[in-house]
Amino acid sequence: MLLRQQLEVAQNEARSEKTILNIPELFLDHMGKLEAMSRRVLMLEEENKELINECRYLKDRLYQCEMDRAEMEVSTQKGN
């Protein structure tokens, strides 16, 4: 019985030491994942900026088209 308890204690200690030894590996793995996610966030932010700029450009073009149309309608009405 005493030997069994000693064996269990030794196994528990071995598991604890193995966990402690794995912590640096787990930390590096998590850091790598965080860096990859950070790069992805930066890429998405850049793509978002490009889309915002394109949206502004299209809004400006739409406004200009509406103004041109209104001017053409006024000049057409004056011509009649």
Side-chain angles (χ1 to χ4, degrees), residues 2 29 32 40 42 44 51 60-61 72 79-80:
L2 181 62
D29 183 49
R40 180 71 178 140
L42 290 174
L44 289 172
L51 289 171
D60 289 344
R61 291 275 296 145
M72 286 175 32
N80 287 338

Side-chain angles (χ1 to χ4, degrees), residues 19-30:
T19 301
I20 290 170
L21 292 175
N22 285 339
I23 288 174
E25 292 174 20
L26 292 172
F27 177 76
L28 291 175
D29 183 49
H30 288 302

Side-chain angles (χ1 to χ4, degrees), residues 16 22 28 31 43 49 51 53-54 57 69 71-72:
S16 295
N22 285 339
L28 291 175
M31 286 301 296
M43 269 182 22
K49 286 179 187 176
L51 289 171
N53 288 337
E54 184 176 353
Y57 170 77
R69 180 179 174 200
E71 286 178 18
M72 286 175 32

Side-chain angles (χ1 to χ4, degrees), residues 39-61:
R39 286 190 299 269
R40 180 71 178 140
V41 166
L42 290 174
M43 269 182 22
L44 289 172
E45 286 176 348
E46 187 61 34
E47 289 175 17
N48 194 34
K49 286 179 187 176
E50 291 173 8
L51 289 171
I52 289 169
N53 288 337
E54 184 176 353
C55 183
R56 285 182 183 144
Y57 170 77
L58 291 172
K59 283 182 179 180
D60 289 344
R61 291 275 296 145

Side-chain angles (χ1 to χ4, degrees), residues 9-23:
V9 168
Q11 287 174 337
N12 288 339
E13 288 177 1
R15 284 189 203 109
S16 295
E17 288 179 18
K18 185 177 180 182
T19 301
I20 290 170
L21 292 175
N22 285 339
I23 288 174

